[in-house]
Amino acid sequence: MKEEEKNKMMIFTGSSVPGLGKKIADKLHLELGKVELTRFSDGEIYVRYLESIRGANVFLIQTCSHPVNYHIMETLIMVDALKRASAKNITAVIPYMGYSRQDRKTMGREPISAKLIADLLSVAGIDRMMTMDLHAGQIQGFFNVPVDHLTAVPKIIDYINSKNIENLVIVSPDAGRVGVARKVANKCHAELAILYKRRPKPNVSETINIVGDVGNKNVFMIDDLIDTGGTVCESAEFMKKLGANKIYAACTHPVFSKPVYKRLKESSIIEVVVTDTIPIKKELLKDKLVILSVVDSLSQAIKNVFYNKSVSEIFEGRM
Ligand code: R5P
């Protein structure tokens, strides 16, 4: 990047992903922007940028990791401060968008929280949203600003192919992932199976049926996220009873809330493949865990946005 252009691009990171932000800045040969992030004694968030933002194309890296509400509020306040400091434009780079599972009303008198988050970001002042593997692609339409919807699935495909697993079946743990699982199965020359899951209440998952055959086969489940681990562990036990051999699970976002580590450790899943869209405690699952990095994809996408180049071409032909 030329010296005068470097001055026009600034990368800042919130407190949810300092490591990812630093890696992205390094990849782009930029210094991470300096910002003070503290709290008042009552818990309110204080933000102050420690260098001039005026006229800059700012990319703010943040994710919706635990504590999710705190990180969302911090993002909004950081965006507000950027806007008031005269940034030329602000791109929120939020690889995991929290509340994305609440993307529709499933019962009367429920909110559509994903839409609310999109509105909050817009009101705060973002000009563009960059995110990864949304729970549902149509969430892009909740934003009134352009959305770059990236995907970590090609990374997962490359990883699966590198393992040369015989008799492989790619499994969608629920109806929502069928499209992605089918693409992965095609790229991995594997069969496809689809599980039918019910959710009697939030965070409780019950697998009750399967379309396809996993008997004597090796299985790779693909999901957008693993939260409490209920879905993948329950699905694994269901498929074990149907005679599945080795069972693997992969997802883009390791949301990982309790009791996920215990569940995954005790389950018959032999390997859990995730990405670094959310920082996790690797040591709690080290024997089973593989972490793929999305730094390259995010850095390339940021670069392409900055240079007004196509973002979708980064993933062309890879899925
Ligand atoms: C649901 O539709 C999602 O794709 C995930 O399967 C689910 O949210 C994972 O949650 P948990 O790990 O708590 O079952």
Side-chain angles (χ1 to χ4, degrees), residues 101 135 174 197 199 203 223-231:
R101 282 175 284 179
H135 182 62
D174 57 34
K197 175 181 95 177
R199 273 212 185 278
N203 282 134
D223 214 342
D224 58 328
L225 63 92
I226 296 176
D227 184 357
T228 63
T231 300

Side-chain angles (χ1 to χ4, degrees), residues 16-274:
S16 64
V17 271
L20 188 72
K22 172 83 174 72
K23 284 182 194 159
I24 291 173
D26 286 351
K27 193 92 197 160
L28 294 167
H29 308 293
L30 290 171
E31 287 285 320
L32 208 48
K34 292 182 184 54
V35 57
E36 181 185 349
L37 297 170
T38 50
R39 282 191 227 190
F40 290 101
S41 49
D42 64 352
E44 287 182 3
I45 296 166
Y46 175 76
V47 170
R48 180 166 184 261
Y49 292 92
L50 302 176
E51 50 195 307
S52 173
I53 312 296
R54 191 170 297 277
N57 297 282
V58 177
F59 292 84
L60 172 60
I61 324 277
Q62 181 77 299
T63 206
C64 293
S65 56
H66 179 79
V68 58
N69 296 331
Y70 180 85
H71 289 138
I72 289 171
M73 198 62 205
E74 187 185 76
T75 310
L76 298 173
I77 294 173
M78 289 183 85
V79 171
D80 185 75
L82 285 171
K83 183 178 65 181
R84 292 176 197 283
S86 303
K88 187 172 161 205
N89 59 60
I90 304 165
T91 301
V93 182
I94 305 180
Y96 170 60
M97 181 184 155
Y99 285 95
S100 60
R101 282 175 284 179
Q102 296 181 51
D103 59 352
R104 65 195 185 288
K105 288 173 73 165
T106 53
M107 284 188 286
R109 302 183 296 281
E110 283 185 337
I112 303 182
S113 311
K115 166 71 173 138
L116 177 63
I117 298 293
D119 286 345
L120 288 170
L121 285 164
S122 297
V123 169
I126 65 164
D127 298 288
R128 173 179 286 275
M129 170 79 170
M130 187 179 284
T131 189
M132 230 169 197
D133 290 325
L134 284 166
H135 182 62
Q138 54 270 32
I139 292 172
Q140 290 170 81
F142 291 175
F143 289 85
N144 291 324
V145 295
V147 177
D148 295 304
H149 187 202
L150 316 182
T151 177
V153 174
K155 284 248 159 218
I156 295 173
I157 291 172
D158 291 347
Y159 179 77
I160 296 174
N161 280 333
S162 75
K163 291 182 80 80
N164 289 318
I165 304 168
E166 289 183 343
N167 284 326
L168 180 62
V169 185
I170 304 295
V171 172
S172 171
D174 57 34
R177 288 291 109 189
V178 176
V180 172
R182 196 185 50 234
K183 287 180 185 165
V184 176
N186 282 342
K187 285 282 177 193
C188 296
H189 309 288
E191 288 173 38
L192 175 68
I194 300 158
L195 296 176
Y196 176 56
K197 175 181 95 177
R198 272 194 336 160
R199 273 212 185 278
K201 50 184 176 175
N203 282 134
V204 177
S205 145
E206 221 176 72
T207 307
I208 51 178
N209 220 328
I210 186 165
V211 178
D213 179 19
V214 292
N216 271 325
K217 308 267 173 70
N218 298 311
V219 162
F220 229 113
M221 275 181 278
I222 305 284
D223 214 342
D224 58 328
L225 63 92
I226 296 176
D227 184 357
T228 63
T231 300
V232 285
C233 294
E234 167 80 20
S235 304
E237 300 327 305
F238 182 81
M239 291 188 288
K240 261 286 163 220
K241 286 189 193 134
L242 296 176
N245 287 337
K246 291 182 185 159
I247 301 181
Y248 304 79
C251 74
T252 302
H253 309 296
V255 176
F256 280 21
S257 45
K258 269 187 184 165
V260 69
Y261 290 101
K262 183 171 183 295
R263 273 190 182 154
L264 289 173
K265 239 186 241 170
E266 291 171 0
S267 77
S268 45
I269 300 171
I270 59 165
E271 193 172 88
V272 182
V273 182
V274 302

